[in-house]
Amino acid sequence: MKKCKVGIIGCGMISDAYFNAAKRFRNIEVVACADLISARAAEKAQQHNVRNLSCEALLDDPEIELVINLTVPQAHGQVAKAALLAGKHTYSEKPFGVDLEEAKSVMELAKSKNLQVGCAPDTFLGCGQQTARKLVDDGWIGKVLSGTAIVQGRGPEKWGHAPFFYDKGAGPMLDLGPYYVTSLVNLLGPAVSVTAVTACAEKFRIFGAEVAENYQDKYKPYDAYPVNVNTHQTGVIEFANGAVITLIASFEVYKHTHAPIELYGSEGSLLVPDPNTFGGPVRLFRREWPYRDPAERDFQEMPMPFSYANNSRSIGAADMAMAIANKRPHRANGDLALHVLEIMLAFDKSSAEGGKVNLTTTCQRPKALPLGLSDGEIDA
């Protein structure tokens, strides 16, 4: 099998997960990396035995067919366009963009160049999410009527690079929401509208005392930094199949007991695992089940027959490379990412306008992975 040669731009904290997982796939090979901070690229190049290039040299390299873009959110669109203009397919870390106009311009450029665009998250291709998808597809909970998708916490407010998470392009919705919204589209198909209310409780957050120790005095303990995004977003997503899902994404909660995703159908309920992971567990309750004991009438943990239970970031890029080679649609594609982005941005828009936002984008529900794939294998 001819391997697709891949270059990575952006060698920050998420890059090791991509470097390491990419080594498992038989159809892709990371051959070079680049970063605006040259020392960081040099470190990753040595660690993973790839070439250390400047961003310009990587884009000019004729060997590289696919660029994995792991830059900060505000640079995703710019780097994606640069890769496309250099004649290379591009796969971006989430979110697809910080606004809909820039994201659409990436898609338009790709179409004009006859190139493919992909975007994280690809966690929906993990065994936990794919098991949940199969249970939905096979009718185990009947027609899905409603559900919840909830991701809450205080956010990374005390991290050394915390301001990144409280600035445009991040916040609880654009940082964590892509996992949840992509999972919902994978499970239910495209959405048609969003009705939401969003808020921000504090204009500033405060670094913790551990900042000086962990980040070599880059920041002083207890320094304040601005919050430039809404930190609590709650609303209802209406899907084309009729399901109505309540989604909450918040950096304003100290502790809660909600499951990540719950789906409620005409025949039962499904507990879907954390979509920011690849594994399980997946738990199912059916209205009619041959329970031997009334005490057993509870959620039952289901076997997970799919591969990719551990961290497999790069599977979306591997699937994209296989799709390009075999001229089929890839799963973590630009249309999906654009639709997910519009759903997320619609929360603030709905809140500002005080009413329902009808979505302008849609996408095909990604094709489920087949059973029987071994680790490192992607279907043709």
Side-chain angles (χ1 to χ4, degrees):
M1 177 186 296
K2 178 182 178 293
K3 289 190 175 184
C4 175
K5 305 298 185 181
V6 175
I8 290 178
I9 296 181
C11 297
M13 59 182 178
I14 195 63
S15 64
D16 280 332
Y18 278 86
F19 277 113
N20 290 327
K23 296 169 187 175
R24 291 159 43 198
F25 293 98
R26 304 167 192 171
N27 68 317
I28 60 172
E29 180 184 4
V30 178
V31 297
C33 67
D35 194 284
L36 288 177
I37 301 174
S38 57
R40 191 155 60 185
E43 178 186 353
K44 296 303 176 185
Q46 183 177 23
Q47 181 181 345
H48 296 286
N49 194 28
V50 301
R51 286 181 287 137
N52 172 24
L53 301 176
S54 68
C55 295
E56 294 77 11
L58 189 150
L59 293 175
D60 287 341
D61 191 323
E63 180 188 32
I64 295 172
E65 305 165 69
L66 171 62
V67 171
I68 294 180
N69 172 11
L70 304 182
T71 57
V72 297
Q74 294 183 24
H76 284 178
Q78 178 185 352
V79 173
K81 289 179 182 178
L84 293 168
L85 289 170
K88 304 184 188 304
H89 307 288
T90 179
Y91 181 94
S92 175
E93 176 57 11
K94 53 78 188 169
F96 190 40
V98 296
D99 59 60
L100 205 57
E101 292 69 30
E102 183 179 55
K104 285 181 176 178
S105 69
V106 171
M107 294 296 293
E108 291 166 0
L109 179 59
K111 184 176 180 180
S112 72
K113 295 289 186 180
N114 196 29
L115 294 166
Q116 297 300 315
V117 172
C119 186
D122 54 9
T123 47
F124 73 94
L125 300 175
C127 77
Q129 297 292 317
Q130 288 294 304
T131 297
R133 163 75 180 263
K134 183 163 179 58
L135 290 169
V136 170
D137 288 354
D138 290 352
W140 284 84
I141 61 170
K143 177 177 174 56
V144 180
L145 307 172
S146 61
T148 58
I150 299 175
V151 54
Q152 300 184 124
R154 283 297 295 176
E157 62 180 350
K158 298 187 186 304
W159 292 14
H161 49 297
F164 165 91
F165 293 98
Y166 292 84
D167 205 355
K168 184 179 179 181
M173 185 58 77
L174 289 190
D175 182 51
L176 296 173
Y179 301 104
Y180 287 74
V181 179
T182 303
S183 173
L184 291 172
V185 174
N186 173 57
L187 293 166
L188 304 172
V192 295
S193 74
V194 169
T195 307
V197 176
T198 66
C200 179
E202 302 167 273
K203 293 182 178 180
F204 294 91
R205 292 286 178 110
I206 307 296
F207 286 120
E210 70 273 20
V211 168
E213 178 183 351
N214 292 345
Y215 295 94
Q216 294 78 47
D217 296 317
K218 183 176 181 181
Y219 302 104
K220 296 177 182 178
Y222 311 118
D223 272 357
Y225 57 90
V227 176
N228 296 320
V229 293
N230 281 319
T231 49
H232 186 91
Q233 307 210 12
T234 182
V236 175
I237 307 172
E238 179 188 5
F239 286 82
N241 71 350
V244 178
I245 306 296
T246 298
L247 187 150
I248 302 174
S250 182
F251 282 169
E252 299 289 354
V253 176
Y254 284 100
K255 192 173 181 63
H256 70 92
T257 59
H258 294 288
I261 297 176
E262 299 190 3
L263 298 181
Y264 314 127
S266 59
E267 301 300 319
S269 300
L270 184 66
L271 301 185
V272 181
D274 182 352
N276 194 6
T277 67
F278 285 82
V282 179
R283 297 186 175 97
L284 173 70
F285 177 87
R286 278 181 57 82
R287 178 173 64 88
E288 295 181 358
W289 210 327
Y291 297 101
R292 293 170 295 176
D293 186 326
E296 294 180 1
R297 286 188 58 80
D298 200 351
F299 285 96
Q300 304 294 312
E301 188 166 330
M302 303 302 293
M304 296 189 298
F306 292 88
S307 300
Y308 303 112
N310 55 3
N311 193 337
S312 303
R313 294 176 198 266
S314 286
I315 188 174
D319 177 68
M320 181 176 172
M322 184 67 78
I324 292 168
N326 290 284
K327 296 180 172 55
R328 65 158 172 84
H330 57 289
R331 293 173 170 92
N333 59 65
D335 288 332
L336 170 63
L338 182 65
H339 186 53
V340 167
L341 179 64
E342 186 183 20
I343 292 170
M344 295 188 297
L345 294 175
F347 276 69
D348 273 338
K349 183 177 181 181
S350 172
S351 183
E353 296 177 355
K356 178 188 287 189
V357 171
N358 292 313
L359 301 172
T360 62
T361 63
T362 190
C363 67
Q364 294 293 317
R365 189 182 182 210
K367 183 180 178 183
L369 283 178
L371 292 167
L373 294 178
S374 60
D375 192 85
E377 184 182 11
I378 296 292
D379 60 307

